[in-house]
């Protein structure tokens, strides 16, 4: 090969790099390893994580321990889906393009909005993208955001806003729900968009339609972040006046993966179609009249419009969106609704069961679907330690993000959490709280088992 | 050509919705194990959905058949040569899928107490360290979800860096060869793009650069560069470029999409860059998944570090004798904040760390050597044939990991556009190179073979290009009507944008 | 027809050996971590191999491409309708693959101390219990590796059973409709086959059966029967048949390949059978794997139990309060001994037990109902068209899970052999039914749709048969030259047997 | 559908079953379960097995804990290989048929014999099939079998022999190797075949050529059972005069699976080609002259010849043979040899290291490749208990099959067993033996940890 090129060595080819910029030493990294050794090494690291097999997982906060059906892996692991690039050559990418089209259809159905893209990175950055769209659509630079919106979404929106230059105003919660009056007061003629989440971060089902009216009045867009698993039973954002509905797609066919990769979904009204971020597949036909699919509306995109693009996204999360689509097809129309109902019923049981525990009370009484907030009469972190030692991840400590709820615990339910496990959680919470109250005794007891939990 | 339809062309495709039959389903769900109360008792009726969404109603066997069938309508990296320039379509080791799927990774909740996610945090820390060493920059954030996300992060870091010194700057310089995401990110970050010209050697035109800086040095926030650039050429003036930008007070941003050319050979940090993004789905073997997932970690210099996104994975030395521990550091007052939820695309980190462990220091350097060797060999092979005149190399020097040809003569002399060549290549069983990018090369054809291709595939590709040029000399129509053997033939993209149909119309 | 080659036909296939290049490889191995001594020091030189075997030398990317490409040259159950009679090509749930791959199953050593394999032994015991209940026979051995292995086991059990009573018998009766493995197993077990005729209803010809028995009752060791038989018909005389055989002192063997018709509806044990084999790869959803793996457990009556293969999985009640435990019982003095190594195809047991758990009692019964419904529907649909005359049903009554047509009129009237129809069906994207079996039906076509097919696939298949018959009335040559669209067309099987080339000639 | 059939209900279709033979009650089995529940149920069972991840595995005895490369799963799990039936329709089964052809070529290479089939069930039943072939080939009914042959193979051969009517004579071992004189004495003009295993069950490399001469003299077939992983370095059976070489294929690309499914390989001389058991793929061409593959020599098989077939096999283990082929391709010519050498080197280290342990001595000094036998000066089962409690499966107790070796332990090495693990085994064996000797103290100590091991 060197002869064909006309050089004596590969080094010659690297001579275009100025000598002082050549590293001239090996990287300070370990030597290469055999496949078996790499496997053992990573298995050893994985063994030091307390995953949902090792600890019964009642943690949610945006990502949930749902059961991912086996066909999702079987299909997403096929080379033909796993290894191609973004479908720039539609003639040889019909599989991926049709999946996008089917996915867009499903997300439009779920959200009740006519336009969906093929997916974005994940939830919070999708919220920030909605802000960018709203600015372009309204030529305004002010966002009014409910504190019921996921803390990560709020922070990400702020990070982006610093860049594209917008102001973010937060509106608090009352009894678990977004404070309607405060919201109405905050929205004005300069407001580009109002951001809500439903169910909100505390699990409460919001009165989206009512809350949204403030946005409508002032010509601001209504952006609703939704948990897709609740859209089988909750009124779709599109029917509540949302201009944009988006969210974290993980509950649909994606594993927890310590937070990613998953996907974000993003749906909007027809008016916004040419301002949408991300890839969009469209139906068309070929020269012989055969039905086919292509990337539509590419005139929005960076590879065509460069600095004038409506967004900078290129590589997104296509494979994760496929997983979501397969999961939805597996559940099917009836199954999807049933799963929603199952979550409501089990969660209602869990909420009552836990509220009845001594030292535990509800943080709010608002209706919920699959997650709810409690108030504990003992330090939350200590209680979590004790539960962890018993092999239970009891929930998400609200103090992490809500100073006003230092005593708050957010508990999530999936179809994997059995009644028996819920009862066990109640038992564990109860005794942990008792122990914590009973001072001294506690201290000695905790640490030891706590370590164990870490293994 | 092919009057008869291929078997795949014959079977018109149907969507999963068109295979739906009321009452069918795959899922069986556990029962609620709880008193079944009417929903309305638990949630106000006016907040409930009237009709379940019209998802497909199909049993499992048909779902599997449907998506398997669709999969066969994709060309993929495991089907053949995929020299898509700038995308680094290198082999995706299956080991990486296996380790990413271990329950300790796959079922680990992102909000798990760091005390009980030590393995995951250590893996992230080790990956940060490895990438830092590869980039020659001390600090790494894994948070960005892809390259363009990393670019945005880099620009927000630049803004924060300047703000911290009480400055506000408005301009970001970028060569006309830059990738579309660069200018798009610049706009999203609230900056204005200033184009810098390319010189005859394919590098930055220094005079133009100086001019653009001198216009208003205080407004120069950043220069975004790819090196080797999208022409596959290493810019020899990089040191001087860095000096100029730094002198003006700007930051130097490295678009790492082309890192596959220089791993273990040259490091952005040593070239003077302040901020680098890497595409783990390119240089570090994360499968592209038909358009993601990927990850776009950023590596930065000391002066940028304080502004890195939150949270940051840190290593804490163990006190009184026990080993080190790992944690998520949220207490970063100067941080630009979060770019997304939780800790980033962890599953991608697992794959890329497994890849780095597999190759090791030597392996990575060798990978880049082979990538450069393959590119130069294919370039030479093409130059031996008709491509020499019909598809001349845009800048005639040794290339790094990829090279760009111009279809201009081919179009003038044979009436064959680069697009036609690309479509005809499909009939030969190849994925075409990247076309019409970079913009400054007319009828551009951007070829990146990667290190995991054999000499045989490179030769076969060169032979195919030759065959197509010969064929075109006889009858250019053949290529102009191509492809013939693909599941569908050329599609009407204009229609899809003019009257977009972006979802299935569903019956009630 | 199709003068032009399809894309797949065009690319001539090459073996992995033909893609081999000296020095290439995929594997990286750990190093020995031990003083590397010359082999000759450890093993006498004359016992060592001179040259390493000429295995292919190919890197991982090309290996993956090679086998992925080969996979696309297969038609499979997930590609479409596969009504291969007698093979029960029903959907293979992917859940079963997932649970079989759990390390606790996949990496469990077969010689592990039973104390530390309690989960595996309990699973086997639970499967034994389930299969026993399904068959209506109290004792089960999971050891046989497939149906024919189960048949051999059954015949060896029969021999042991008679030997134990001081008898030696030489004849095994089997209807002329029996599957090829039955007579083959009889010979392997050292018995002589005696064919029994089939009556006009498709069942055993009772007079012939009596005659064959009366010839020499003391020599009748066993009668092997499939019920429903390979015509898909349930033999109504089964009770009387059982009585006759038992009166003669023989055992009654049930070939369970057709159990899919009667699960939860009728049980071999209740019909009077002594020994049953099941094909877990048919009725219990183990994927066929292109020719295995499978498993052929046997269920037997009390009187046969003492002779079951060794080891047997047993449940022991826990003493002093602790729960039951499970063990491998080797102490079985009358056992026929082992039929293979270790405990059998455990991975298959996991899949089939998962299948039984998934469906449950109702699900299994419903599966058989749907299998029978689908078969009768397809039979009726075909009878509505030209098949009624051209491809008449061999025995015109309701069938169970499958039915057999005769291509005799089609051949006489259109000159189209059953084989031609089968090959033409390939062009329509269907796997053909089983052909030329059972032997007693001329030009036989044996159709088993299974319960996991939709009405749409059944209709599409019926329409295809109709279309082919119409086509043949115009021009029979079309089908006679078929297939046209498959990766290769009709192959020369005679040559392959006359001058067999069974391995690649390798260069040194 | 019922209307088309012309019945009123599905029950009508079942009326062809005489009423008394209809079950008329539900099966006594649990109700159906959701996928998630079935998964949890089986995961719970799996968790009660001490697999090679939980216990460092030095057990061999025919099946070995090799590392199976990830591409093996990726390829064997593709629907196109996983779900088709035996390739009766070659035009649409070229993938599977070509794999068989490639597999046969590889096995011929490994064994040095020109004819290979596409695989049988597994090892021991392949041995029994060789006996059946030998009877047909020689018209004789007597087998002479070395006690070095796997106990399961010997027992399986006897089980089959009772059926097809043959006598099995065993020849003992001396110093770990087959007793050459005893063998020579046992073989006579009535002998159909001589059965050896190499390396034999005790790990010893046999002098196959020398031992085989007895068979040659009397016109008996020489059948050699081989561990395929040793054929990269050991002289192939074909070059040692074997007429048939066969064995357990598990070490090639197949997981342990508690004993199956794996595959058996079966190779022979040209003379035996028309007596071979199992499927055989052959190369041919299609009507247009295209290269293709078919099932060759079907005239041997049950579906054609019925009672005159050379064997009764139908469904075999095609998918497992594919796994073997992919593993071999992954190793490649050099890698396969290297792996063999690695096994020899590590095993030599382990053998010396363990023999140096107090209370341990070599059961034989014969050369070995990857497995060797020790003699322990303490009850083997008790010692194994103690090692198990430390998370080590120390080996296979020879007493199970060789009363003459009640004190024998068979230790196997694979590339997964590191030097560190070998050293740990030495340590564990040593202290276990000491403890057992030190009476009393021992008894109390064992049980507790032993339970743990079972978890
Ligand atoms: C040169 C260059 N820069 C940036 C990007 C954007 O990376 P990503 O697709 O990960 O956002 C790409 C990839 O498309 C690229 O080729
Ligand atoms: C009726 C019948 N009996 C026996 C068998 C043999 O079963 P196996 O292929 O599992 O050996 C089959 C399957 O081919 C069959 O259809």
């Amino acid at each position: 090969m060197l002869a064909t090129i006309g050089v004596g060595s590969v080094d010659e080819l690297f001579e275009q790099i100025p000598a002082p910029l050549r590293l001239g030493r090996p990287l300070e990294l370990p030597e290469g390893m055999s496949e078996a050794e790499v496997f053992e090494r990573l298995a050893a690291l994985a063994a030091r994580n307390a995953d949902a097999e090792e600890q019964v997982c009642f943690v949610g906060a945006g990502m949930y321990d749902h059961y991912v059906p086996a066909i999702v892996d079987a299909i997403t692991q096929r080379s033909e889906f796993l290894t191609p690039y973004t479908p720039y050559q539609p003639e040889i990418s019909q599989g991926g393009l049709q999946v996008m089209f089917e996915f867009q259809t499903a997300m439009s159905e779920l959200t009740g909005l006519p336009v969906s893209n093929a997916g974005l990175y994940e939830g919070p950055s999708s919220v920030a993208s909605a802000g960018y769209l709203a600015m372009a659509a309204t030529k305004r630079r002010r966002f009014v955001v409910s504190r019921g919106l996921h803390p990560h979404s709020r922070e990400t929106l702020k990070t982006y806003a610093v860049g594209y230059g917008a102001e973010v105003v937060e509106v608090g919660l009352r009894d678990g729900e977004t404070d309607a009056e405060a919201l109405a007061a905050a929205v004005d003629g300069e407001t580009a968009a109002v951001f809500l989440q439903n169910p909100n971060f505390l699990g409460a089902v919001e009165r989206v339609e009512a809350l949204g009216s403030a946005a409508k009045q002032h010509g601001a867009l209504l952006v609703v972040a939704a948990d897709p698993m609740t859209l089988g039973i909750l009124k779709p954002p599109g029917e509540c006046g949302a201009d944009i509905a988006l969210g974290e797609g993980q509950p649909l066919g994606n594993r927890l993966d310590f937070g990613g990769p998953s996907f974000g979904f993003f749906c909007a009204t027809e008016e916004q179609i040419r301002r949408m971020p991300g890839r969009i597949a469209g139906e068309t036909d070929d020269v012989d009249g055969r039905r086919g699919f292509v990337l539509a509306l590419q005139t929005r995109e960076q590879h065509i419009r460069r600095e004038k693009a409506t967004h900078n996204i290129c590589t997104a999360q296509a494979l994760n969106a496929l997983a979501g689509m397969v999961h939805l097809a597996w559940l099917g129309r009836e199954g999807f609704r049933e799963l929603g109902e199952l979550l409501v019923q089990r969660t209602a049981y869990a909420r009552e069961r836990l509220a009845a525990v001594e030292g535990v009370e509800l943080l709010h009484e608002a209706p919920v679907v699959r997650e709810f907030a409690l108030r504990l009469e003992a330090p939350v972190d200590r209680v979590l330690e004790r539960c962890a030692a018993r092999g239970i991840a009891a929930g998400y400590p609200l103090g992490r993000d809500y100073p006003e709820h230092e005593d708050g615990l957010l508990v999530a339910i999936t179809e994997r959490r059995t009644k028996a496990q819920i009862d066990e959680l109640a038992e564990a919470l109860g005794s942990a709280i008792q122990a914590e109250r009973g001072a001294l005794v506690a201290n000695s007891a905790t640490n030891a088992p706590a370590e164990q939990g870490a293994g | 050509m092919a009057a008869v339809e291929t078997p795949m062309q014959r079977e018109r495709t149907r969507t999963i919705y068109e295979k739906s039959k009321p009452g069918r389903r795959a899922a069986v769900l556990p029962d609620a194990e709880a008193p079944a109360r009417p929903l309305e008792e638990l949630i106000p009726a006016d907040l409930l959905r009237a009709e379940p969404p019209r998802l497909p109603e199909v049993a499992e066997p048909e779902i599997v058949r449907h998506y398997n069938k669709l999969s066969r309508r994709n060309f993929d990296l495991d089907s053949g040569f995929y020299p898509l320039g700038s995308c680094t379509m290198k082999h995706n080791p299956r080991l990486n899928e296996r380790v990413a799927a271990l329950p300790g990774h796959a079922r680990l909740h992102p909000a798990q107490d760091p005390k009980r996610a030590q393995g995951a945090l250590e893996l992230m820390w080790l990956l940060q360290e490895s990438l830092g060493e590869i980039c020659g920059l001390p600090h790494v954030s894994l948070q960005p979800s892809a390259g363009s996300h990393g670019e945005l992060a880099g620009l927000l870091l630049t803004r924060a860096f300047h703000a911290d010194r009480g400055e506000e700057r408005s301009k970001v310089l970028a060569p006309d060869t830059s990738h579309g995401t660069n200018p798009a990110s610049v706009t999203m970050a609230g900056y204005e793009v200033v184009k810098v010209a390319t010189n005859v050697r394919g590098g930055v035109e220094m005079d133009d650069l100086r001019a653009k800086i001198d216009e208003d040095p205080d407004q120069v926030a950043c220069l975004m560069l790819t090196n080797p650039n999208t022409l596959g050429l290493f810019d020899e003036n990089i040191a001087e470029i860095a000096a100029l930008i730094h002198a003006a007070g700007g930051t130097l941003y490295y678009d790492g999409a082309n890192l596959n050319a220089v791993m273990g050979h040259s490091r952005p940090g040593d070239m003077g860059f302040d901020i680098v993004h890497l595409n783990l789905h390119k240089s570090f073997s994360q499968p592209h998944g038909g358009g993601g997932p990927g990850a776009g970690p950023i590596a930065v210099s000391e002066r940028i570090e304080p502004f890195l996104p939150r949270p940051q994975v840190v290593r804490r030395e163990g006190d009184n004798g026990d080993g080190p521990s790992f944690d998520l550091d949220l207490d970063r007052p100067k941080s630009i904040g979060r770019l997304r939820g939780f800790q980033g695309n962890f599953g991608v980190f697992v794959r890329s760390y497994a890849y780095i462990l597999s190759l090791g220091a030597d392996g990575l350097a060798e990978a880049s050597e082979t990538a450069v060797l393959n590119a130069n060999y294919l370039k030479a092979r093409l130059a031996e044939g008709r491509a020499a005149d019909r598809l001349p190399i845009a800048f005639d020097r040794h290339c790094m990991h990829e090279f760009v040809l111009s279809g201009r003569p081919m179009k003038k002399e044979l009436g064959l556009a680069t697009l036609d060549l690309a479509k005809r290549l499909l009939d030969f069983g190849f994925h075409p190179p990247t076309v019409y990018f970079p913009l400054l090369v007319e009828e551009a054809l951007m070829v990146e073979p990667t290190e995991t291709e054999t000499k045989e595939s490179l030769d076969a590709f060169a032979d195919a290009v030759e065959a197509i040029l010969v064929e075109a000399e006889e009858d250019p129509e053949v290529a102009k009507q191509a492809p013939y053997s693909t599941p569908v033939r050329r599609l009407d993209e204009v229609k899809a944008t003019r009257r977009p149909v972006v979802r299935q119309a569903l019956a009630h």
Side-chain angles (χ1 to χ4, degrees), chain B residues 49 147 282 285 295 298 300 387 407 455 502:
Chain B
R49 177 166 202 141
K282 293 180 180 182
S285 85
I298 47 176
V300 303
K455 179 171 175 302
V502 299

Side-chain angles (χ1 to χ4, degrees), chain A residues 85 314-315, chain B residues 86 146-148 151 179 181 255 257 279 281-282:
Chain A
Y85 199 73
C314 180
T315 294
Chain B
S86 203
S148 63
E151 295 168 16
H179 187 266
T181 51
D255 174 340
N279 304 65
H281 42 300
K282 293 180 180 182

Side-chain angles (χ1 to χ4, degrees), chain A residues 85-86 88 121 279 302 312-316, chain B residues 84-88 145-151 177-182 185 226 228-230 253 255-258 277-282 288 293-296 402 434 437 446 448:
Chain A
Y85 199 73
T86 300
Y88 286 145
Y121 299 138
R279 314 286 184 181
Q302 47 77 24
N312 69 336
I313 198 163
C314 180
T315 294
Chain B
L84 191 64
S86 203
C87 300
T88 313
S145 310
S148 63
H149 208 205
E151 295 168 16
T177 56
S178 71
H179 187 266
T181 51
N182 297 10
S185 300
T226 314
N229 62 19
T230 59
Y253 183 92
D255 174 340
N258 293 349
H277 91 248
L278 302 174
N279 304 65
L280 297 188
H281 42 300
K282 293 180 180 182
H288 280 89
E402 66 189 349
T434 295
F437 177 75
M446 185 185 207
E448 180 183 14

Side-chain angles (χ1 to χ4, degrees), chain B residues 2-260:
Chain B
V4 204
E5 289 190 304
T6 68
M8 238 192 229
Q9 288 172 351
R10 212 173 304 123
E11 62 170 50
R12 301 288 189 264
T13 186
R14 288 185 303 143
T15 68
I16 189 90
Y17 302 94
E18 290 157 349
K19 296 177 179 176
S20 176
K21 285 269 173 299
R24 284 193 193 150
R25 60 189 290 173
V28 177
L29 300 173
D31 48 68
E33 298 186 292
R37 305 186 219 158
L39 273 189
E40 296 68 17
E41 251 180 46
L42 300 163
I43 300 170
D46 64 324
L47 303 182
L48 291 174
R49 177 166 202 141
E51 276 279 296
R54 290 162 298 177
L55 293 170
E57 303 184 76
V58 186
E60 181 167 312
E62 296 307 312
I63 296 174
V64 174
R65 283 178 181 173
H66 179 73
Y67 289 105
N68 278 11
K69 187 164 284 183
L70 285 189
S71 76
R72 284 185 286 262
R73 294 166 70 85
N74 271 357
F75 180 92
D76 71 300
L77 183 52
D78 290 344
S79 304
F81 190 39
Y82 211 127
L84 191 64
S86 203
C87 300
T88 313
M89 300 302 287
K90 64 159 95 173
H91 176 63
N92 308 129
R94 285 304 181 284
L95 163 66
N96 303 354
E97 298 305 310
R98 173 180 282 181
V99 290
L102 290 167
H105 295 141
R107 285 192 67 193
L108 180 60
H109 195 286
Q112 176 60 291
D113 182 335
K115 273 205 300 307
R116 300 191 174 76
Q118 285 295 296
L121 293 171
E122 178 169 2
L123 186 151
M124 289 174 71
W125 186 82
L126 288 164
L127 180 58
Q128 286 176 15
E129 293 295 297
S130 309
L131 297 178
E133 163 68 4
I134 291 166
C135 293
L137 287 163
H139 305 287
V140 173
S141 165
L142 300 175
Q143 204 175 107
S145 310
S148 63
H149 208 205
E151 295 168 16
L152 182 64
L155 292 159
L156 294 172
L157 287 169
T158 294
R159 181 178 291 282
F161 165 72
H162 287 128
D164 187 55
R165 323 159 118 208
E167 298 176 8
E168 188 172 350
R169 293 163 174 251
S170 61
K171 296 183 173 160
V172 172
L173 280 50
D176 48 14
T177 56
S178 71
H179 187 266
T181 51
N182 297 10
S185 300
V186 169
T187 309
M188 265 188 102
Y191 287 110
E192 171 197 341
V193 183
V194 177
K195 258 203 216 112
V196 181
T198 297
N199 67 24
V200 290
R201 307 252 314 143
V204 169
E205 172 55 57
M206 295 306 289
D207 296 342
D208 190 51
L209 176 63
R210 284 193 203 82
K212 298 287 164 65
I213 293 172
D214 297 344
E215 266 173 29
D216 194 346
D218 306 351
Q219 289 306 312
V220 175
C222 173
L223 169 64
M224 298 182 86
L225 221 57
T226 314
N227 197 24
N229 62 19
T230 59
L231 297 163
L233 304 171
F234 194 95
D235 198 317
E236 308 109 323
N237 302 324
I238 185 61
E240 188 184 351
I241 295 170
L244 287 168
I245 294 299
H246 288 151
T251 64
L252 198 61
Y253 183 92
Y254 184 91
D255 174 340
N258 293 349
L259 190 82
N260 212 50

Side-chain angles (χ1 to χ4, degrees), chain A residues 14 17 23 25 27 29, chain B residues 88 90 131 133-135 227-228 254 256 258-268 271 278-279 282-285 355-356 359-369 371-372 400 451:
Chain A
F14 281 85
I17 304 176
L23 184 56
R25 64 159 174 86
L27 289 166
L29 295 174
Chain B
T88 313
K90 64 159 95 173
L131 297 178
E133 163 68 4
I134 291 166
C135 293
N227 197 24
Y254 184 91
N258 293 349
L259 190 82
N260 212 50
V262 295
M263 295 184 297
H265 290 271
S266 185
R267 312 192 304 170
M271 301 176 202
L278 302 174
N279 304 65
K282 293 180 180 182
S283 328
F284 298 95
S285 85
Y355 177 75
I356 290 171
L359 271 68
D362 304 357
L364 289 172
E366 192 187 325
S368 287
E369 284 159 30
V372 170
M400 296 295 289
E451 68 275 18

Side-chain angles (χ1 to χ4, degrees), chain A residues 156-312:
Chain A
T156 303
L157 179 64
K158 287 173 193 160
T159 305
Y160 275 59
V162 170
Y164 50 66
E167 171 198 10
V168 179
V169 182
E170 288 197 355
V171 171
L173 304 176
R174 174 185 290 173
D175 308 333
E177 298 179 27
T178 303
D179 182 330
E181 288 159 30
L183 182 78
V187 182
D188 62 18
E190 286 313 301
T191 307
V194 171
F195 291 78
L196 303 173
Q197 179 173 310
N198 190 39
N200 69 23
F201 191 72
L202 301 186
V205 179
E206 297 268 13
R207 305 176 182 287
V208 177
E209 218 159 346
L211 293 167
S213 58
K216 297 282 158 236
Q217 273 172 37
H218 295 89
L221 298 189
L222 177 60
V223 180
V224 177
D227 171 352
M229 271 303 182
T230 67
L231 293 177
I233 52 167
L234 292 185
K235 183 183 275 191
E239 292 177 24
C240 302
D243 298 279
I244 297 174
L246 50 75
E248 171 55 56
Q250 181 275 335
L252 303 179
N254 281 265
R255 38 198 211 199
L256 289 165
D257 276 338
F258 200 47
S262 60
F263 68 91
F265 59 94
F266 194 107
C267 301
T269 55
E270 287 287 355
E271 295 86 312
Q272 309 304 341
I273 189 167
R274 282 164 206 281
R275 294 193 192 95
M276 293 282 287
R279 314 286 184 181
I280 299 178
E283 183 173 346
T284 184
D285 30 48
D286 78 357
V287 289
D288 301 329
R290 254 176 238 107
R291 178 191 203 177
F293 302 89
V294 295
L295 290 177
L297 302 154
Q298 296 192 55
T299 45
R300 302 163 298 118
E301 297 194 55
Q302 47 77 24
H303 62 284
I304 308 284
R305 294 292 295 289
R306 302 181 63 84
E307 60 269 26
K308 298 198 182 48
T310 63
H311 203 280
N312 69 336

